[in-house]
């Protein structure tokens, strides 16, 4: 017999907060602290909302409504003052409920439902933090059908279909999973390039406000500045970095630290926008700077296209992705740039109703399935995919499950 309590709403002031009580002794705990309005007996039934108060030692702590979700789950809606929320949590704990984080309680509640497999649980969990409405659609589809359904089909057909066909389908799913991850979890875009090319100006244009300092002095940006932007179906954190200048890379001090920070940001980014000055010759791109971009997903931004060009776009090697002319200052070419970002991230026209892997656990197991080599091994990985506990997965939500 156990009961768990968690604050489900964000910290800070709010009109209403929700404390969730869950577990096979949740009703007993609630009965000890809840009095209905008018003193009628508390008769919980699925879907019923009951008005009353949380009391301790004869003292009313707050007037609340109780949402009776099922025999083991109750939502206590109280006033949003953090002091009241804290007091209610204290009272519940005194009566035997164990305080847990909202996410932990969510996992416990979901895993107690018999008809949910691991993938469907992960989809419901990911829905709580998804960054875009398109990402929510992808996840909603995983709950209804998606990857979970596809795995069941493979399990049923494995004896009649060659393993290679399963492996080919797994390859397709893994390929689609990377753009899906960017849509679901958001992506990091780093603005990188030589000093004075207009990186900070571009950040401000994309953000629609003055986030970063702009000046014609080289090396204006030292520490990085970021802005959140929404370019459906992507939600992106755009990071403005210090201009890369190989002549100061080994100079020591603040400048060198800024250069190193930029290198770290390039590593971390899902996409690099290499911002160059279209009005300056190609020599602005030094070899050490370009080396940092090796293996990264890149779009080259030819900024200051409002000025006479001295930059030969043909000199941009293919590996630096498409080259897009813009004027960050005048706000021209931004739509083309966004289209290029979508293209390079493979999210343009992404089919939201397709099976994808959306946690590290699923990706890891699908990769293992590709190299399983035998039907026996493949079957074992398939059942792990839908049955293994989230606990030992290295998945995105490695929360304990009892
Ligand atoms: N003509 C023109 N000037 C621009 C454009 N974008 C930026 N500038 C100017 O170029 C200068 C440098 O702009 P910043 O945005 O500070 O450049 P940055 O790349 O962030 O520079 P660092 O932080 O020093 O690396 C400023 O004077 C900007 O007004 C553009 O599209 N056209
Ligand atoms: Mg700058």
């Amino acid at each position: 017999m156990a009961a768990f309590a968690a604050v489900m709403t964000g910290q800070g002031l709010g009109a209403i907060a929700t404390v969730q009580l869950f577990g096979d002794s949740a009703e007993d705990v609630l009965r000890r602290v809840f009095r209905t309005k008018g003193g009628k007996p508390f008769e919980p039934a699925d879907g019923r909302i009951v008005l009353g108060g949380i009391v301790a030692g004869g003292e009313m702590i707050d007037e609340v409504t109780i949402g009776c979700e099922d025999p083991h789950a109750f939502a206590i809606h109280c006033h949003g003052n953090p002091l009241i929320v804290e007091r209610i949590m204290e009272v519940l704990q005194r009566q035997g409920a164990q305080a847990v984080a909202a996410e932990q309680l969510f996992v416990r509640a979901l895993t107690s439902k018999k008809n949910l497999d691991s993938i469907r649980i992960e989809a419901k969990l990911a829905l709580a933090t998804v960054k875009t409405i398109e990402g929510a659609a992808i996840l909603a589809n995983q709950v209804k059908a998606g990857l979970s359904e596809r795995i069941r089909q493979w399990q049923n057909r494995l004896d009649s279909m060659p393993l290679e066909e399963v492996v080919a389908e797994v390859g397709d799913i893994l390929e689609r999973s990377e753009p899906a991850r960017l849509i679901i979890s958001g992506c990091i875009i780093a603005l990188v390039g030589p000093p004075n090319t207009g990186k900070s100006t571009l950040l401000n244009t994309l953000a629609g406000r003055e986030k970063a300092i702009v000046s014609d002095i080289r090396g204006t940006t030292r520490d990085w500045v970021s802005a959140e932007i929404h370019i459906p179906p992507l939600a992106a954190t755009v990071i403005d970095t210090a201009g890369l200048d190989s002549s100061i890379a080994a100079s020591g001090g603040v400048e060198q630290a800024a250069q190193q920070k930029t290198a770290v940001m390039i590593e971390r980014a899902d996409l690099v926008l290499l911002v160059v000055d279209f009005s300056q010759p190609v020599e602005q791109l030094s070899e050490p700077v370009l080396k940092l971009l090796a293996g990264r997903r890149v779009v080259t931004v030819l900024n200051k296209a409002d000025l006479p060009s001295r930059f030969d776009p043909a000199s941009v090697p293919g590996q630096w992705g498409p080259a897009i002319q813009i004027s960050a200052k005048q706000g021209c070419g931004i739509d083309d740039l966004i289209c290029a970002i979508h293209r390079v991230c493979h999210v343009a026209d992404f089919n939201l109703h397709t099976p994808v892997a959306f946690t590290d656990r699923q990706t890891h197991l699908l990769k293992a399935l590709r190299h399983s080599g035998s039907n026996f091994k493949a079957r074992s990985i398939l059942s792990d995919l839908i049955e293994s506990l989230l606990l030992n997965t290295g998945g995105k939500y490695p929360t304990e499950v009892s």
Side-chain angles (χ1 to χ4, degrees):
M1 295 282 279
F4 304 92
V7 181
M8 305 306 279
T9 36
Q11 289 185 346
L13 284 178
I16 300 286
T18 300
V19 172
Q20 190 79 15
L21 191 58
F22 171 80
D24 45 16
S25 67
E27 186 180 330
D28 295 340
V29 170
L30 193 56
R31 282 188 182 285
R32 292 199 282 272
V33 301
F34 179 65
R35 300 290 170 268
T36 61
K37 187 162 183 156
K40 287 188 219 140
F42 176 44
E43 289 171 0
D46 289 8
R48 182 172 289 173
I49 293 176
V50 186
L51 183 62
I54 298 290
V55 293
E59 177 201 349
M60 163 83 92
I61 293 173
D62 193 25
E63 194 168 65
V64 301
T65 58
I66 304 289
C68 307
E69 297 177 354
D70 69 39
H72 303 304
F74 300 90
I76 304 170
H77 303 294
C78 57
H79 289 101
N81 185 318
L83 296 171
I84 292 177
V85 177
E86 200 178 305
R87 193 79 201 283
I88 290 175
M89 284 296 286
E90 269 169 30
V91 171
L92 294 173
Q93 285 176 79
R94 232 180 286 137
Q95 294 303 331
Q98 184 188 329
V100 291
E103 192 180 87
Q104 276 182 324
L105 189 128
F106 207 28
V107 173
R108 283 177 191 279
L110 288 172
T111 48
S112 71
K113 294 195 191 330
K114 300 277 178 286
N115 59 344
L116 284 177
D117 60 45
S118 304
I119 292 171
R120 288 179 170 142
I121 291 171
E122 286 168 323
K124 282 179 175 280
L125 287 169
L127 273 167
T129 52
V130 63
K131 289 284 193 325
T132 59
I133 202 74
E134 293 80 5
I138 294 174
L139 292 170
N141 186 56
Q142 307 306 313
V143 175
K144 277 192 291 174
L147 184 60
S148 172
E149 199 62 32
R150 182 63 60 89
I151 286 166
R152 284 176 206 283
Q153 286 169 6
W154 288 334
Q155 283 179 320
N156 291 334
R157 289 165 49 209
L158 206 52
D159 288 332
S160 57
M161 95 191 262
L163 184 57
E164 295 75 56
E165 277 182 36
V166 175
V167 167
E169 286 185 27
V170 169
D172 291 345
I173 289 178
L174 284 171
E175 205 169 293
R176 289 195 297 269
S177 298
E178 171 60 10
R181 178 184 70 80
L182 297 177
I183 296 172
I184 292 168
S185 306
C187 70
I188 298 177
I189 299 177
L191 303 180
V192 174
N196 220 32
T197 56
K199 299 177 293 300
S200 301
T201 308
L202 178 56
L203 178 87
N204 292 342
T205 301
L206 289 171
R209 59 188 197 280
E210 301 297 306
K211 284 281 291 190
I213 299 169
V214 168
S215 91
D216 54 8
I217 301 166
R218 292 168 64 87
T220 298
T221 305
R222 284 185 172 171
D223 210 356
W224 56 276
V225 180
S226 73
E228 303 297 322
I229 65 164
H230 191 213
I231 44 172
L234 291 176
T237 303
V238 184
I239 299 175
D240 177 25
T241 64
L244 282 168
D245 186 341
S246 37
S247 65
I248 57 169
S251 61
V254 180
E255 277 81 10
Q256 189 180 351
Q259 299 287 301
Q260 284 166 351
K261 204 67 161 281
T262 297
V264 171
M265 289 303 165
I266 292 173
E267 277 292 307
R268 241 192 242 172
D270 297 299
L271 171 68
V272 173
L273 298 187
L274 172 62
V275 184
V276 299
D277 187 336
F278 201 42
S279 68
Q280 297 299 321
V282 72
E283 284 68 37
Q284 64 188 290
L285 290 172
S286 65
E287 198 53 39
V289 167
L290 290 176
K291 248 190 177 162
L292 283 173
L293 303 181
R296 313 304 305 174
R297 197 187 275 139
V298 178
V299 170
T300 301
V301 180
L302 307 171
N303 189 34
K304 308 195 188 181
D306 53 296
L307 300 177
S309 163
R310 291 174 63 206
F311 189 98
D312 175 13
S315 62
V316 179
Q319 60 181 316
W320 311 126
I324 309 295
Q325 293 183 26
I326 70 158
S327 167
K329 197 168 178 176
Q330 296 183 350
C332 302
I334 302 299
D335 287 348
D336 291 345
L337 175 59
I338 291 171
C339 283
I341 292 172
H342 286 159
R343 250 190 350 264
V344 167
C345 292
H346 302 288
V347 300
D349 302 322
F350 188 84
N351 178 2
L352 305 177
H353 302 280
T354 188
V356 292
F358 53 93
T359 66
D360 294 348
R361 183 191 77 91
Q362 296 163 10
T363 307
H364 172 77
L365 285 171
L366 284 180
K367 283 183 178 164
L369 183 57
R370 255 169 126 179
H371 300 110
S372 54
S374 75
N375 281 20
F376 177 76
K377 187 86 193 294
R379 277 194 186 286
S380 145
I381 295 171
L382 287 173
S383 47
D384 272 358
L385 266 159
I386 47 180
E387 281 158 29
S388 65
L389 293 181
L390 305 181
L391 171 66
N392 51 16
T393 59
K396 196 171 171 200
Y397 298 95
T399 321
E400 56 167 328
V401 181
S402 64

